[in-house]
Amino acid sequence: MRVLTLGATGFLSGAVVREAAARGHEVVGLSRTPGDLPPGVTPLHADRDDVDALRAAVTGLGAPPDAVVDTCGYTVAGARAAAAVLADVPAYAYVSSVSAYRDWPPGPVRSEADPTFGPDADVQEYGPMKAESERVLTAALGDRVLLARAGLIVGPGDRTRRLTSWVHRFATQARVAVPAVDVPVAFVDVRDLAGWLLDMVERPIAGAGGAVTATGPAGMTTFHGMLDACRAAVEATGGRPGETVPVPDAALLAAGVEPWRDLPFWLPEETARTAWDVATDRARELGLPTRPVEESVLDAWRWVLATGLEHPDLDPRLDPAALAG
Ligand SMILES: NC(=O)c1ccc[n+]([C@@H]2O[C@H](COP(=O)([O-])OP(=O)(O)OC[C@H]3O[C@@H](n4cnc5c(N)ncnc54)[C@H](OP(=O)(O)O)[C@@H]3O)[C@@H](O)[C@H]2O)c1
């Protein structure tokens, strides 16, 4: 089938394009600027936030797409443009976010029926923008749109360094400060999400559309399980991982370590217990797979080593010796 991807050369979009091409689809990948695409994929350049530019690009294709996978919805204008130009496609997968839920964080998220941000919220903000974009696309496409509310996406190609900064610490430090409290955490591997988005648009989407919280099952691993996977990735690539030094939340906070920003995935225990408590029953029913976290971490680290993606030096506040003092 003819698959149009909005976004083509980035993290999730790149994984969607590669998988769609590997499945033998006729793929058109839209981005504003040229980038690496697999052989056989047709590049298309336009700003999808600009309705006229998007219309001209899509019209220029001749035949309309059978399916759209939209990974680069970062404005409500972009959703409106897609709604105006692509409302007739038989299947449309829009990548939204768990941030669309009004009460997350701190959560928990009990089901897709939990409230999302309303139309009065500031759509310049990420969560309200995703919620409003969902409404715009649903008004145009009805039950032909899938709203995939993605959780944390991990795996090869991730330039955020959120996960790989942990691996980098174990690869480069003899002793690594880690939060002492262990809590369940969950992610979605970029390849699992990309493949599933395609699974969803390859069949009639009606009945399986609407909102789906698209991440791994709560408790698929724990924070410390993820850290073990980081140490294992260092070993598997010929390094000697640093030793973990558990540090209580209070000591991290007293040192001015900012949750999440300074230590990705770390939230103080009280927030962590609800923020990671995100129900994904519908995603499981609809077949979103979950590969082992060890595989996601190892492949993400191999990608870092292959590409030379740099990571910053250790923040002195995270030096285990300083934290112990
Ligand atoms: N990363 C996470 O953990 C996470 C979590 C929850 C939800 N999400 C959602 O997941 C989706 C994918 O995130 P990602 O970081 O992997 O992004 P991505 O899919 O890699 O998006 C970037 C791609 O989109 C293109 N693009 C961006 N803006 C465009 C525009 N206005 N017009 C045309 N093309 C445009 C970029 O190329 P050009 O720059 O050349 O245009 C690039 O090809 C996003 O919708 C994000 O909100 C991500």
Side-chain angles (χ1 to χ4, degrees):
M1 61 195 274
R2 201 170 161 85
V3 179
L4 169 65
T5 69
L6 302 185
T9 54
F11 178 36
L12 179 58
S13 56
V16 171
V17 163
R18 283 189 294 278
E19 180 62 22
R23 291 184 186 191
H25 294 306
E26 187 186 338
V27 187
V28 178
L30 179 105
S31 58
R32 288 164 301 185
T33 54
D36 278 346
L37 291 176
V41 172
T42 304
L44 194 63
H45 299 304
D47 182 349
R48 63 80 48 91
D49 294 350
D50 175 338
V51 64
D52 296 330
L54 182 65
R55 182 173 284 114
V58 171
T59 308
L61 288 174
D66 302 307
V68 172
V69 180
D70 179 353
T71 70
C72 69
Y74 298 113
T75 66
V76 176
R80 289 205 184 100
V85 175
L86 294 162
D88 293 334
V89 297
Y92 191 114
Y94 174 71
V95 181
S96 182
S97 166
V98 288
S99 298
Y101 291 111
R102 189 192 64 197
D103 301 326
W104 185 95
V109 175
R110 294 290 180 222
S111 84
E112 285 77 5
D114 282 14
T116 56
F117 284 98
D120 296 337
D122 177 4
V123 296
Q124 302 307 317
E125 298 283 332
Y126 182 71
M129 176 278 292
K130 286 292 194 189
E132 181 65 13
S133 298
E134 289 186 359
R135 281 187 287 273
V136 167
L137 287 164
T138 303
L141 285 132
D143 63 3
R144 287 171 289 123
V145 67
L146 172 79
L147 309 168
R149 295 181 182 151
L152 262 170
I153 307 171
V154 299
D158 180 10
R159 309 188 81 86
T160 65
R161 301 169 176 78
R162 276 187 297 233
L163 178 61
T164 54
S165 66
W166 278 109
V167 194
H168 180 257
R169 284 189 188 117
F170 285 111
T172 55
Q173 293 162 37
R175 301 173 75 238
V176 179
V178 308
V181 177
D182 198 13
V183 290
V185 296
F187 325 105
V188 60
D189 187 281
V190 67
R191 297 158 293 181
D192 290 338
L193 181 57
W196 177 76
L197 290 167
L198 288 164
D199 293 344
M200 294 300 290
V201 296
E202 280 166 357
R203 57 194 184 200
I205 213 163
V212 185
T213 304
T215 191
M220 61 179 270
T221 186
T222 66
F223 201 125
H224 289 186
M226 180 210 64
L227 295 175
D228 288 345
C230 292
R231 298 182 84 247
V234 174
E235 258 176 344
T237 50
R240 251 188 84 193
E243 161 201 346
T244 53
V245 180
V247 180
D249 280 4
L252 290 167
L253 292 168
V257 178
E258 186 86 20
W260 203 270
R261 193 198 64 191
D262 295 334
L263 272 189
F265 308 149
W266 172 57
L267 295 167
E269 191 180 359
E270 209 181 297
T271 317
R273 298 245 173 242
T274 53
W276 292 106
D277 185 5
V278 174
T280 61
D281 307 64
R282 187 156 196 246
R284 311 277 79 83
E285 280 161 22
L286 292 173
L288 173 61
T290 308
R291 74 184 65 204
V293 69
E294 291 76 12
E295 192 179 321
S296 300
V297 175
L298 178 56
D299 292 346
W301 187 240
R302 285 201 168 120
W303 177 81
V304 165
L305 296 177
T307 56
L309 182 77
E310 290 189 355
H311 287 68
D313 292 338
L314 177 70
D315 177 336
R317 287 171 305 169
L318 296 172
D319 179 347
L323 285 162

